[in-house]
Amino acid sequence: MSGDDDEPDWSGEDPITGRRVQPVHAIERVAEKTGRDPALLRRWVDAIERKGQAILYGPPGSGKSYLARELARHLVGGGDGFTRQLVLHASTTYEDFVQGYRPLTRSDGTVQWPLVRGRFLQFAEKAYERRGRCVLVLDEMHRADVGRVLGELVHLLEYRGEPMPLAAGDSPFVLPSNVRIIGTMSSTDAARSGGDLVLRRRFAYLRVTPDLEVLRRFHARTGFDVDGLLGVLHRIEQLVRDPDRSLGVSFFLRERLGEEIEDVWRFEVEPMLEALLADRPAEAARLRWDVVRWKILRD
C-alpha cells in the first residue's frame, strides 16, 4: 500500500528526537486505509484504552500488522507521544526486552558484566518524557515465549504506576500510564495461549477476521472492480474450510492492484495456495493465474 507524507518512521532503530505534536490520524482515515468498519475500530480503540494493551489475532494475511500500525498512529495523534515497533522472534529473551547483565570485553581482554536496559525499558524511559500516549507495537508475539520475555512486566501491565523491583538491578520500575501496547499473533497461537490465563487477563484479544468485504470497501476508492476477485476468494474459502488458515486479504489491499494483480497472484498467492491445499494439488492447479485470470479481470 502506498504511504502517506506523514507516515512515521517504523524502523525501530532511530532515536526519538524532538517533541513535536503528532498529526491527527482520525479513525475514519484508519477505516479508509484498512477497509475495516469504523464503528468496530472505535470499539477496539476503547478496548485498548480500557486495558492498556491488546492483541490483534487472526490468520496470516489478514492485515494484523498494518492495522496495528494504523491504530497506533490514531492513538498518538494530536499528542507529543510516539510509536515504536518491535518484532519478536524465537530467540528474543527477557534480557533483550527488559534488562539483564550482558558481557562486555574491555580493551585489556577482561570481561565485565554491566546491567543493560532492554528495548522495552528504553521505550518506557522515553515515554516518561512525554504527556501524550506512546504506543509500542509488538509484532509476531507468537514467535517468542511471551511469558518469559515479559517477566514481571505482566503484573505491571495491570498495575501501572506501581513500583516493582525487576529481576536484575536495585531500582524499582514503574510502567508509565501513557504507554499502550498493541501486539499481533496468529489465530492458532492465540488459541494455544488460551491456557495462559495471566496473559489473557492482561490483554484485550481483538479478532481480525478475513473479511472479504474489506476488499470492496478498500477498492471503492481505487476503482478496481473486485467482484471477480471476490468470487475466486469465496471459492478458496470453501476449499480450505478453515478460517484460521485462510488466504487473507492483505495481498490485495494495494492502491495499484489492477497493474500488480498478476504478479501478486503468481508470486505470492500461488505459493500460499500450494501450502493450504497441499493435500489437494489438483485443486491448487485449478487456481493458477492462467486459469483464474478471466474470472478475476472478467475481460
Side-chain angles (χ1 to χ4, degrees):
M1 282 172 275
S2 60
D4 291 351
D5 292 339
D6 61 346
E7 188 74 25
D9 180 1
W10 286 95
S11 67
E13 296 295 341
D14 291 342
I16 302 158
T17 57
R19 190 178 283 213
R20 68 186 182 89
V21 174
Q22 298 289 346
V24 172
H25 197 58
I27 203 69
E28 291 77 14
R29 179 60 172 149
V30 178
E32 178 185 337
K33 295 185 70 176
T34 63
R36 299 283 167 177
D37 178 53
L40 177 61
L41 292 176
R42 290 190 186 95
R43 293 182 65 187
W44 284 0
V45 168
D46 289 344
I48 296 169
E49 286 291 278
R50 183 173 62 253
K51 296 291 289 187
Q53 52 277 332
I55 292 175
L56 303 180
Y57 72 101
S62 53
K64 301 182 293 296
S65 297
Y66 186 75
L67 180 55
R69 290 164 57 165
E70 286 296 304
L71 288 172
R73 293 183 65 192
H74 169 72
L75 286 166
V76 303
D80 67 345
F82 58 90
T83 57
R84 182 57 49 94
Q85 182 181 26
L86 295 177
V87 180
L88 302 187
H89 48 81
S91 61
T92 302
T93 65
Y94 174 89
E95 289 77 15
D96 297 326
F97 191 70
V98 184
Q99 71 176 4
Y101 294 98
R102 312 303 290 265
L104 175 66
T105 303
R106 303 169 62 181
S107 57
D108 61 2
T110 59
V111 177
Q112 286 183 314
W113 289 83
L115 183 62
V116 179
R117 298 187 310 279
R119 302 295 291 278
F120 183 78
L121 256 61
Q122 295 175 35
F123 169 85
E125 287 175 356
K126 292 295 183 181
Y128 271 120
E129 302 171 4
R130 309 300 172 93
R131 299 182 63 184
R133 298 181 193 86
C134 300
V135 183
L136 179 65
V137 174
L138 292 180
D139 220 353
E140 306 281 358
M141 286 182 68
H142 56 279
R143 297 189 180 278
D145 186 334
V146 180
R148 286 190 175 183
V149 169
L150 294 181
E152 61 271 66
L153 290 182
V154 169
H155 176 82
L156 291 174
L157 292 175
E158 190 172 11
Y159 298 100
R160 282 171 165 77
E162 177 181 305
M164 173 179 285
L166 300 178
D170 300 322
S171 300
F173 174 72
V174 177
L175 182 62
S177 60
N178 61 337
V179 165
R180 303 291 183 270
I181 300 172
I182 304 176
T184 69
M185 188 179 289
S186 73
S187 298
T188 302
D189 290 282
R192 289 173 183 165
S193 72
D196 189 345
L197 297 181
V198 173
L199 197 64
R200 284 273 178 175
R201 179 180 167 187
R202 266 64 175 190
F203 285 82
Y205 276 65
L206 311 176
R207 182 173 177 83
V208 183
T209 58
D211 181 4
L212 297 185
E213 288 305 305
V214 165
L215 289 178
R216 192 182 301 280
R217 291 191 289 269
F218 181 86
H219 285 291
R221 62 185 174 85
T222 70
F224 181 82
D225 184 353
V226 299
D227 287 339
L229 175 60
L230 288 175
V232 174
L233 294 180
H234 278 301
R235 174 57 181 158
I236 293 172
E237 276 189 342
Q238 293 170 357
L239 290 170
V240 175
R241 299 191 299 271
D242 183 353
D244 290 334
R245 297 178 64 248
S246 69
L247 182 63
V249 299
S250 63
F251 297 103
F252 313 108
L253 297 177
R254 307 186 66 84
E255 300 283 350
R256 298 186 296 119
L257 184 61
E259 304 169 29
E260 301 170 343
I261 181 65
E262 179 175 354
D263 285 348
V264 168
W265 197 274
R266 287 185 185 277
F267 307 137
E268 301 177 42
V269 174
E270 287 184 11
M272 281 291 293
L273 292 176
E274 289 173 1
L276 292 172
L277 300 171
D279 58 337
R280 287 166 287 169
E283 294 286 2
R286 295 190 187 99
L287 292 167
R288 294 194 180 280
W289 175 253
D290 292 338
V291 179
V292 301
R293 177 187 181 280
W294 68 273
K295 295 180 182 179
I296 293 176
L297 300 180
R298 303 198 302 178
D299 56 6

